[in-house]
Amino acid sequence: MDSNCLFCKIINGEIPADKLYEDDDFFAFRDITPQAPQHFLIIPKKHISGPSAVTDEDDQLIGRMMRVGAEIAKENGIGDNFRVVLNNGEDAGQSVFHIHMHFLGGRAMTWPPG
Ligand code: AMP
């Protein structure tokens, strides 16, 4: 828990979010600025600033985040066609420094990303 972190505040209920899923370890909610017809974020309740701050003690947590996110995608009609994005660092587009997986779906995607 980091009292200055936007996503920790969403987990706490201090800032409202369009919640899709919650369990003891994770919280998932719709992105406020969707980049696809379906765009949600899954975050661990543990405050980890980003992918490069993941340690070996988080291996199971981060693996499960992928699996739970894929299940939420399925439950929300994205099926098996979705893109998962993790941004690490400002130059990569990270704006919130609490690790999050973006799940984007509902349209065809192009490559390379911008
Ligand atoms: P990133 O740029 O990878 O750090 O992603 C942060 C994401 O959080 C962006 O896609 C934002 O649109 C999203 N975001 C920021 N504030 C909120 C909020 N209050 N509720 C939902 N999504 C948010």
Side-chain angles (χ1 to χ4, degrees), residues 1-13:
M1 166 70 194
D2 176 335
S3 56
N4 293 315
C5 170
L6 173 70
F7 285 175
C8 286
K9 289 179 182 171
I10 285 179
I11 292 164
N12 280 344

Side-chain angles (χ1 to χ4, degrees), residues 48 86 90 103 114:
I48 300 169
L86 289 110
E90 278 174 27
F103 279 77

Side-chain angles (χ1 to χ4, degrees), residues 6-7 10 15-18 29-35 39 41 85-87 92-98 100 102:
L6 173 70
F7 285 175
I10 285 179
I15 291 177
D18 189 356
F29 52 103
R30 292 191 193 281
D31 197 292
I32 203 166
T33 311
Q35 301 300 318
H39 184 178
L41 306 174
V85 174
L86 289 110
N87 293 321
Q94 186 177 9
S95 61
V96 180
F97 289 81
H98 182 126
H100 48 281
H102 296 256

